[in-house]
Amino acid sequence: MLHLAVLHSRKLCIYSVSGTLGNVEHGNQYQIKLMYEHNLQRTACNMTYGPFGGVKGRDLICIQSMDGMLMVFEQESYAFGRFLPGSLLPGPLAYSSRTDSFITVSSCQQVESYKYQVLAFATDADKRQETEQQKLGSGKRLVVDWTLNIGEQALDICIVSFNQSASSVFVLGERNFFCLKDNGQIRFMKKLDCSPSCFLPYCSVSEGTVNTLIGNHNNMLHIYQDVTLKWATQLPHVPVAVRVGCLHDLKGVIVTLSDDGHLQCSYLGTDPSLFQAPKVESRELNYDELDTELKELQKIIKDVNKSQGVWPMTEREDDLKISAMVSSNFDSVSQATDVEVGTDLVPSVTVKITLQNQVALQKIKLSVYVQPPLVLTCDQFTFEFMAPEMTRTVGFSVYLKGSYTPPELEGNAVVSYSRPTDRNPDGIPRVTQCKFRLPLKLVCLPGQPSKTASHKLTIETNKSPVSLLSLFPGFASQSEDDQVNVMGFHFLGGSRVTLLASKTSQRYRIQSEQFEDLWLITNELIIRLQEYFEKQGIKDFACSFSGSMPLQEYFELIDHHFEFRINGEKLEELLSERAVQFRAIQRRLLTRFKDKTPAPLQHLDTLLDGTYKQVIALADAVEENQDNLFQSFTRLKSATHLVILLIGLWQKLSADQMAILEAAFLPLQQDTPELGWEETVDAAISHLLKTCLSKNSKEQALNLSSQLSMPKDTSRLKKHITLLCDRLAKGGRLCLSTDAVAPQTMVMPGGCATIPESDLEERSMEQDSTELFTNHKHLIVETPRAEVSPLQGVSE
């Protein structure tokens, strides 16, 4: 049976090793089980094993202590211990089964051999002091069998016997390598050029010779055949141990271990390639036959393209049509359950999704998503199979659950399905989607207009003003003819927004107590104005914004969101510390309870109860902070949408430029501790400033950070946002190519002060000197991956 002996400094453990055949590709499984152990009275240095005394069928273990004592163990029992004469420091120890003797190197720098029989019958180590006083009057004296002075300390000893007739003792010194006979005579020695670190003798292909692997401190591995150097190779580390094994039927794998624990399996040399390419028969080309063959192949390709292949050659948009219809009226019985809104009346609206397929489809899965705190009564629908010319309709309700405003009223329905073909019965995966817009009245009620507000913005148009009654018919009564230019909105979360339309000029003013609450009404106003003029047949309608950019209000929301992230890290760190303390107290209490003689608790129970209450309180605080962080991120997204819209109206950006701006400012649907909004947006804006909005080639050469990590504060992000608005104001345009640097010559609109230009990384700016904007969507910023160095094998 296979057993494993492990020597600790004060303990010897014997384990049994058993294996079971593996049923998966991971291979066989092996387990070790502790059979027995010996607690040592002396600090151990090394050990060896073998059939001491010629015993058959089992091995004995000999351990050398740090003070030169040899301890022999016969399985579970301790046999005897003997002190080596004149021992100062322990040396390497090996056992020779041919001569039944132990071979070591003493502090006198000489190789010594002790017979096992002499050790067994010598004076017991426990009686050494008595025998010295009695002048060795009892017992036998420990006599060395033979010695050989090598003049240096040894690193390792290895005894090799590849046949029954010859046995060799290999000793690795600090400067030389020795090969000795059984009686201590030198067979040969080799002076080494470098300081060795480990060695391994193994059998040779030549009769009567021995190959030896010797590693040294110059990261080299030398292979000797007796005293002749046959091979030298470079290693990536200094080997402290070397072995040769067979791994996965690959023979001769050299396994080395470094001093810091790295294990490397290397293969020496290369396998020869026995393949030889046959000679090509040279013949003249018949171009007529080639033309005929080419036409036949083209005909086959054309026929395959006409029929259904593994992948359809033409996109067919009519495979599955998806459409969404939002009910114009609220549900008669509201589906809102478990709402957190302060009012009793929380309406819900029904949305119906219709799927129409022209061909047979399978594995259809419909997923619906709306912006929180809007929730759905059901967001997943699955159909196993849909026959051709079939229509499926599903319905669900949407309502507002939280006490704050969602950043968007737009929902998205995505359908994934598989379309079977002749050559692919499992189906080709396809995806299609459609978007739907929820009514404003789902999150907003008519309210009383307010004349004063903390935050105001004005949208200018190029057409005559439109009555708010015709734009928002559900938020004003027909009798209020004198108040159609003023309208109030009351969100279910509690905030109020007022909309005013000028009677003389072509302007609309939106005002509110909260900056982020302006977004939904402003966006809804622009969308309804566009729809109104489209119905009138007017195509040149345009909106603009010429006021000052509300960057300070936007920066306050960024700081508020970042503060919750900082608090979350602090709370989680405190919770981790209290959890460690709680487990430590539990271990102390468990030890006290298991003790046969109970000791006083010393108020450990009081400390455990107090720590438990702290853990619960910190966990509640972490959950509350996470809820606040989520709400803050939702408000930040609303404000970001508003800033993007204002920048687009301010600089009259195209749809492509707006998409780039949205990608830079809103790259995340959800904030996570590993990847937050601040560092992601900062990397995206820095990329824009470095490429399409750069002043010169120097800025384009700046290296961005290779890792996204949580910043210490938001000053860098706010500086980059302000700089981006400044570059846009001076004529910069957003694009994904860096062919040309945008000209910086554009007249600043009113309310926007110029910002002095300097280096991108070192320029500090006063935040209250500029009032500008920002935008959103998904800009992909490439960051270099962490470099992983490949495992280097042995080179020739």
Side-chain angles (χ1 to χ4, degrees):
M1 297 177 63
L2 181 63
H3 287 76
L4 178 67
V6 181
L7 180 64
H8 303 274
S9 59
R10 285 276 181 166
K11 185 184 294 185
L12 173 66
C13 300
I14 308 297
Y15 299 90
S16 67
V17 182
S18 60
T20 57
L21 292 177
N23 296 324
V24 294
E25 66 272 8
H26 300 303
N28 302 334
Q29 300 177 6
Y30 296 91
Q31 296 87 24
I32 62 172
K33 180 181 179 182
L34 180 64
M35 303 299 292
Y36 58 89
E37 63 182 21
H38 293 287
N39 291 316
L40 307 178
Q41 300 300 322
R42 300 174 182 273
T43 303
C45 175
N46 51 26
M47 70 173 176
T48 185
Y49 71 96
F52 304 159
V55 65
K56 299 199 176 170
R58 55 179 179 164
D59 286 329
L60 281 66
I61 296 177
C62 177
I63 299 176
Q64 182 179 201
S65 66
M66 295 298 292
D67 54 357
M69 178 181 176
L70 297 183
M71 297 170 283
V72 179
F73 293 89
E74 295 183 7
Q75 278 72 49
E76 292 91 340
S77 60
Y78 170 72
F80 58 85
R82 300 290 184 266
F83 276 101
L84 296 179
S87 175
L88 179 61
L89 292 174
L93 179 68
Y95 172 74
S96 174
S97 59
R98 282 176 56 86
T99 59
D100 192 25
S101 59
F102 295 97
I103 301 173
T104 184
V105 177
S106 66
S107 305
C108 303
Q109 297 183 351
Q110 60 185 10
V111 184
E112 299 177 351
S113 175
Y114 296 91
K115 291 283 189 181
Y116 176 75
Q117 296 297 335
V118 177
L119 287 172
F121 290 103
T123 306
D124 195 349
D126 298 332
K127 301 177 181 178
R128 185 175 73 162
Q129 294 180 357
E130 298 178 5
T131 56
E132 288 178 356
Q133 295 174 0
Q134 297 172 5
K135 298 182 180 179
L136 304 176
S138 62
K140 292 186 178 181
R141 184 180 180 185
L142 184 56
V143 180
V144 64
D145 185 25
W146 55 261
T147 61
L148 175 68
N149 192 344
I150 60 174
E152 59 182 327
Q153 198 60 40
L155 300 179
D156 199 0
I157 296 176
C158 185
I159 299 175
V160 177
S161 178
F162 295 116
N163 52 52
Q164 297 298 326
S165 60
S167 176
S168 301
V169 178
F170 289 87
V171 181
L172 181 65
E174 295 176 329
R175 293 176 297 277
N176 299 282
F177 167 60
F178 302 89
C179 177
L180 313 178
K181 296 180 181 179
D182 289 338
N183 57 4
Q185 296 179 357
I186 293 181
R187 181 168 286 163
F188 63 82
M189 67 171 288
K190 173 68 177 176
K191 182 174 178 62
L192 302 176
D193 297 332
C194 302
S195 175
S197 59
C198 62
F199 86 131
L200 174 70
Y202 65 98
C203 61
S204 174
V205 294
S206 300
E207 186 69 24
T209 61
V210 177
N211 284 5
T212 309
L213 292 170
I214 299 181
N216 57 40
H217 287 85
N218 289 351
N219 296 11
M220 295 292 292
L221 186 68
H222 290 170
I223 301 175
Y224 292 90
Q225 187 177 47
D226 287 347
V227 294
T228 306
L229 179 63
K230 291 292 187 179
W231 197 273
T233 183
Q234 185 78 33
L235 290 176
H237 56 252
V238 176
V240 296
V242 59
R243 291 292 182 270
V244 175
C246 178
L247 303 178
H248 289 289
D249 299 329
L250 180 63
K251 297 181 180 179
V253 177
I254 299 175
V255 184
T256 55
L257 179 70
S258 69
D259 55 354
D260 56 356
H262 283 81
L263 196 69
Q264 176 173 297
C265 298
S266 311
Y267 186 63
L268 193 64
T270 56
D271 288 329
S273 178
L274 303 178
F275 173 76
Q276 291 182 354
K279 294 183 179 180
V280 180
E281 295 182 2
S282 59
R283 58 185 178 88
E284 296 182 0
L285 297 177
N286 190 331
Y287 292 100
D288 294 335
E289 293 180 0
L290 290 178
D291 291 340
T292 305
E293 184 180 358
L294 179 60
K295 289 179 181 179
E296 292 177 356
L297 292 175
Q298 288 177 344
K299 184 180 179 182
I300 294 174
I301 294 173
K302 188 175 181 181
D303 294 339
V304 171
N305 289 341
K306 288 181 180 180
S307 62
Q308 284 187 340
V310 178
W311 185 265
M313 301 303 294
T314 57
E315 292 289 340
R316 295 191 57 183
E317 299 296 339
D318 56 349
D319 287 350
L320 179 66
K321 291 184 178 180
I322 177 173
S323 59
M325 186 187 70
V326 182
S327 176
S328 57
N329 299 320
F330 290 144
D331 297 338
S332 57
V333 178
S334 177
Q335 302 296 317
T337 58
D338 190 24
V339 294
E340 302 171 2
V341 185
T343 178
D344 296 334
L345 178 61
V346 178
S348 65
V349 66
T350 299
V351 180
K352 293 183 178 181
I353 305 294
T354 303
L355 306 178
Q356 295 177 337
N357 61 308
Q358 302 296 327
V359 297
L361 304 176
Q362 58 190 18
K363 301 178 185 177
I364 301 101
K365 184 177 181 181
L366 170 64
S367 302
V368 188
Y369 177 77
V370 292
Q371 292 283 344
L374 294 172
V375 293
L376 307 167
T377 54
C378 183
D379 59 354
Q380 298 283 345
F381 302 91
T382 304
F383 312 102
E384 288 299 326
F385 180 77
M386 289 182 66
E389 304 294 337
M390 190 175 179
T391 301
R392 290 281 184 94
T393 301
V394 296
F396 50 87
S397 296
V398 187
Y399 61 91
L400 183 70
K401 184 176 182 180
S403 59
Y404 50 99
T405 308
E408 291 181 9
L409 290 177
E410 195 175 65
N412 194 14
V414 180
V415 180
S416 62
Y417 60 93
S418 296
R419 176 187 172 186
T421 62
D422 296 338
R423 301 188 180 185
N424 190 356
D426 293 336
I428 303 167
R430 301 285 296 273
V431 176
T432 183
Q433 63 178 343
C434 79
K435 295 184 178 181
F436 57 90
R437 184 166 186 81
L438 298 171
L440 179 64
K441 58 184 179 180
L442 185 65
V443 298
C444 184
L445 301 174
Q448 192 68 25
S450 175
K451 294 183 180 180
T452 60
S454 302
H455 304 279
K456 303 176 183 179
L457 61 90
T458 302
I459 302 297
E460 301 177 359
T461 64
N462 58 353
K463 301 298 177 184
S464 57
V466 182
S467 172
L468 298 182
L469 182 62
S470 58
L471 290 178
F472 298 91
F475 292 88
S477 60
Q478 297 288 345
S479 60
E480 299 176 351
D481 294 336
D482 56 337
Q483 295 292 329
V484 290
N485 65 328
V486 179
M487 189 170 290
F489 301 90
H490 180 205
F491 288 106
L492 295 181
S495 58
R496 298 178 181 272
V497 180
T498 303
L499 175 62
L500 300 94
S502 175
K503 294 182 179 180
T504 56
S505 61
Q506 303 167 355
R507 298 181 178 181
Y508 301 87
R509 171 174 291 181
I510 306 97
Q511 56 189 27
S512 174
E513 292 298 329
Q514 302 293 333
F515 174 68
E516 64 273 12
D517 293 333
L518 298 174
W519 156 243
L520 277 184
I521 303 302
T522 304
N523 187 48
E524 197 74 21
L525 171 66
I526 294 177
I527 291 176
R528 298 196 180 199
L529 282 174
Q530 291 174 347
E531 292 176 349
Y532 175 82
F533 286 107
E534 283 180 3
K535 291 180 181 179
Q536 301 293 330
I538 301 174
K539 297 182 180 181
D540 60 342
F541 170 76
C543 299
S544 61
F545 177 77
S546 60
S548 60
M549 292 295 136
L551 285 187
Q552 296 305 318
E553 295 85 346
Y554 183 50
F555 291 161
E556 290 178 2
L557 289 172
I558 294 177
D559 292 335
H560 190 60
H561 172 261
F562 189 73
E563 182 180 352
F564 282 122
R565 290 187 63 190
I566 296 293
N567 291 339
E569 281 196 344
K570 294 179 180 178
L571 289 173
E572 289 181 0
E573 184 178 353
L574 283 175
L575 181 60
S576 177
E577 292 177 358
R578 293 297 177 269
V580 172
Q581 176 179 324
F582 186 73
R583 291 192 294 270
I585 299 171
Q586 281 183 320
R587 285 194 294 268
R588 289 282 185 90
L589 279 175
L590 187 61
T591 305
R592 296 285 177 91
F593 291 151
K594 284 186 176 181
D595 197 353
K596 293 181 180 179
T597 57
L601 295 180
Q602 297 178 346
H603 302 289
L604 279 177
D605 53 343
T606 307
L607 187 58
L608 181 71
D609 183 63
T611 306
Y612 173 75
K613 291 180 180 178
Q614 290 181 1
V615 169
I616 296 299
L618 283 172
D620 294 338
V622 169
E623 289 185 355
E624 182 183 359
N625 186 80
Q626 288 177 347
D627 294 339
N628 294 334
L629 178 63
F630 186 79
Q631 293 189 23
S632 175
F633 185 61
T634 304
R635 294 188 173 96
L636 179 61
K637 287 200 291 186
S638 298
T640 304
H641 278 296
L642 179 61
V643 169
I644 292 170
L645 175 66
L646 295 181
I647 289 182
L649 298 178
W650 171 46
Q651 287 297 319
K652 297 180 175 56
L653 301 181
S654 62
D656 294 339
Q657 297 182 30
M658 290 288 289
I660 295 175
L661 208 55
E662 290 175 356
F665 278 90
L666 284 178
L668 302 175
Q669 284 291 342
Q670 187 176 0
D671 222 4
T672 60
E674 294 80 13
L675 185 63
W677 183 86
E678 284 80 6
E679 57 264 29
T680 313
V681 173
D682 186 41
I685 295 178
S686 300
H687 179 77
L688 291 177
L689 293 174
K690 176 178 172 291
T691 55
C692 57
L693 295 180
S694 61
K695 295 184 301 179
N696 47 44
S697 59
K698 284 186 178 181
E699 286 190 357
Q700 293 184 6
L702 289 177
N703 292 325
L704 299 178
S705 176
S706 60
Q707 293 182 350
L708 292 182
S709 58
M710 185 174 175
K712 296 181 180 179
D713 51 38
T714 59
S715 58
R716 174 187 170 93
L717 172 63
K718 292 187 287 189
K719 180 179 70 173
H720 287 169
I721 292 176
T722 310
L723 182 58
L724 179 137
C725 297
D726 180 47
R727 297 282 175 85
L728 289 175
K730 291 189 175 183
R733 283 298 172 257
L734 299 171
C735 62
L736 296 180
S737 63
T738 58
D739 296 337
V741 178
Q744 307 287 333
T745 57
M746 185 173 182
V747 180
M748 294 288 291
C752 297
T754 57
I755 300 176
E757 302 264 358
S758 64
D759 186 72
L760 176 63
E761 301 294 331
E762 299 177 356
R763 183 169 60 90
S764 61
M765 302 178 303
E766 296 181 359
Q767 296 178 357
D768 53 2
S769 64
T770 57
E771 296 174 344
L772 299 170
F773 277 122
T774 7
N775 289 26
H776 82 312
K777 210 156 183 174
H778 311 300
L779 177 68
I780 300 174
V781 178
E782 297 184 358
T783 58
R785 300 178 179 176
E787 294 184 0
V788 180
S789 58
L791 184 65
Q792 297 180 355
V794 177
S795 58
E796 295 187 19

